[in-house]
Coordinates of all heavy atoms in Angstrom, one line a residue:
C24 N 4.2 108.6 80.5 CA 3.9 107.2 80.4 C 4.0 106.5 81.8 O 5.0 106.8 82.6 CB 4.9 106.5 79.5 SG 4.7 104.8 79.3
R26 N 4.0 103.1 82.4 CA 4.2 101.7 82.2 C 5.2 101.2 83.3 O 6.1 101.9 83.7 CB 4.8 101.4 80.9 CG 3.8 100.9 79.9 CD 4.5 100.6 78.6 NE 4.4 101.8 77.8 CZ 5.3 102.2 77.0 NH1 6.4 101.6 76.8 NH2 5.2 103.3 76.3
D40 N -11.3 113.4 106.0 CA -11.2 114.6 106.8 C -9.9 114.7 107.6 O -9.6 115.7 108.2 CB -12.3 114.6 107.9 CG -13.7 114.6 107.2 OD1 -13.8 115.3 106.2 OD2 -14.6 113.8 107.6
L54 N 4.9 110.4 100.1 CA 3.7 111.3 99.9 C 2.8 110.6 98.9 O 3.2 110.1 97.8 CB 4.2 112.6 99.3 CG 3.2 113.7 99.1 CD1 2.6 114.2 100.5 CD2 3.8 114.9 98.4
K55 N 1.5 110.6 99.2 CA 0.5 110.0 98.4 C -0.6 110.9 97.9 O -1.1 111.8 98.6 CB -0.2 108.9 99.2 CG 0.7 107.8 99.8 CD 1.2 106.9 98.8 CE 2.0 105.8 99.4 NZ 3.4 105.9 99.0
D61 N -2.3 121.0 105.2 CA -2.3 122.4 105.3 C -1.1 123.0 104.7 O 0.0 122.4 104.8 CB -2.3 122.8 106.8 CG -3.7 122.6 107.4 OD1 -4.7 122.9 106.8 OD2 -3.7 122.3 108.6
G71 N -0.8 130.1 88.8 CA -1.2 129.4 90.0 C -0.5 129.9 91.2 O -0.1 131.1 91.3
K91 N -10.9 130.4 93.9 CA -11.2 131.8 93.7 C -10.1 132.4 92.8 O -9.1 131.8 92.5 CB -11.1 132.5 95.1 CG -9.9 132.4 95.9 CD -10.0 133.0 97.3 CE -8.7 132.9 98.0 NZ -8.8 133.4 99.4
Y96 N -5.3 135.7 96.2 CA -4.3 135.0 97.1 C -3.2 135.9 97.4 O -2.8 136.7 96.6 CB -3.8 133.7 96.4 CG -4.9 132.6 96.3 CD1 -5.7 132.6 95.2 CD2 -5.1 131.7 97.3 CE1 -6.7 131.6 95.1 CE2 -6.1 130.8 97.2 CZ -6.9 130.7 96.1 OH -7.8 129.8 96.0
R98 N 0.8 136.1 99.7 CA 1.9 135.4 100.4 C 1.5 135.1 101.9 O 0.9 136.0 102.5 CB 3.2 136.2 100.4 CG 3.9 136.1 99.1 CD 5.2 136.9 99.1 NE 6.1 136.6 100.2 CZ 7.1 135.7 100.2 NH1 7.2 135.0 99.1 NH2 7.9 135.5 101.2
N99 N 1.9 134.0 102.4 CA 1.7 133.5 103.8 C 0.3 133.2 104.1 O 0.0 133.0 105.3 CB 2.3 134.6 104.7 CG 3.8 134.7 104.6 OD1 4.5 133.7 104.3 ND2 4.3 135.9 104.6
E100 N -0.6 133.2 103.1 CA -2.0 132.8 103.3 C -2.0 131.3 103.6 O -1.3 130.5 102.9 CB -2.8 133.2 102.1 CG -4.3 132.8 102.3 CD -5.1 133.3 101.1 OE1 -4.6 134.1 100.3 OE2 -6.2 132.7 100.9
A103 N -6.0 124.9 102.8 CA -6.1 123.4 102.9 C -6.1 122.9 101.5 O -6.8 123.4 100.6 CB -7.4 123.1 103.6
V116 N 5.1 118.1 92.7 CA 3.9 117.8 93.5 C 2.8 118.8 93.0 O 3.0 120.0 93.1 CB 4.1 117.9 95.0 CG1 2.8 117.6 95.7 CG2 5.2 116.9 95.4
A120 N -7.1 123.0 95.5 CA -7.8 123.7 96.5 C -9.3 123.7 96.2 O -10.1 124.3 96.9 CB -7.3 125.2 96.7
L124 N -12.7 118.5 95.9 CA -11.6 117.6 96.1 C -11.1 117.7 97.5 O -10.8 116.7 98.1 CB -10.4 118.0 95.1 CG -10.8 117.7 93.7 CD1 -9.6 118.1 92.8 CD2 -11.0 116.2 93.4
L134 N -21.4 120.6 83.4 CA -22.0 121.0 82.2 C -21.4 120.2 81.1 O -20.3 119.8 81.1 CB -21.7 122.5 81.9 CG -22.3 123.5 82.9 CD1 -21.7 124.8 82.7 CD2 -23.8 123.5 82.8
I136 N -19.9 119.7 77.4 CA -19.1 120.5 76.5 C -20.0 121.0 75.4 O -20.8 120.2 74.8 CB -17.9 119.7 75.9 CG1 -16.9 119.4 77.1 CG2 -17.2 120.5 74.8 CD1 -15.8 118.6 76.6
P141 N -26.9 130.7 79.4 CA -27.3 132.1 79.1 C -27.0 133.1 80.3 O -26.9 134.3 80.0 CB -28.8 132.0 78.9 CG -29.2 130.7 79.6 CD -28.0 129.8 79.6
V145 N -18.7 136.9 83.8 CA -17.3 136.8 84.0 C -16.9 137.4 85.4 O -17.2 138.5 85.7 CB -16.5 137.6 82.9 CG1 -15.0 137.5 83.2 CG2 -16.8 137.0 81.5
Y155 N -12.8 133.1 84.5 CA -13.6 132.5 85.6 C -15.0 133.0 85.3 O -15.2 134.2 85.1 CB -13.2 132.9 87.0 CG -11.9 132.4 87.4 CD1 -10.8 133.2 87.4 CD2 -11.7 131.0 87.8 CE1 -9.5 132.7 87.8 CE2 -10.5 130.5 88.2 CZ -9.4 131.3 88.2 OH -8.2 130.8 88.6
L156 N -16.0 132.1 85.3 CA -17.4 132.5 85.1 C -18.2 132.1 86.3 O -18.0 131.0 86.8 CB -18.0 131.8 83.9 CG -17.3 132.0 82.5 CD1 -18.0 131.2 81.4 CD2 -17.3 133.5 82.1
H172 N -11.9 127.8 74.4 CA -13.3 127.6 74.3 C -14.0 129.0 74.4 O -15.3 129.0 74.5 CB -13.8 126.7 75.5 CG -13.3 125.3 75.4 ND1 -13.7 124.4 74.5 CD2 -12.3 124.7 76.1 CE1 -13.0 123.3 74.6 NE2 -12.2 123.4 75.6
L176 N -16.8 134.5 73.0 CA -17.2 135.1 74.2 C -17.1 136.6 74.1 O -16.2 137.2 73.6 CB -16.2 134.7 75.4 CG -16.5 135.3 76.7 CD1 -17.8 134.7 77.3 CD2 -15.4 135.0 77.7
S177 N -18.2 137.3 74.4 CA -18.2 138.7 74.4 C -18.4 139.2 75.8 O -19.3 138.8 76.5 CB -19.4 139.3 73.5 OG -20.6 138.9 74.0

Side-chain angles (χ1 to χ4, degrees):
C24 182
R26 261 183 267 143
D40 301 318
L54 185 65
K55 303 285 182 249
D61 281 325
K91 58 186 183 181
Y96 289 91
R98 278 180 57 89
N99 298 321
E100 181 178 344
V116 178
L124 292 176
L134 296 172
I136 293 176
V145 175
Y155 291 105
L156 302 177
H172 298 286
L176 181 69
S177 61

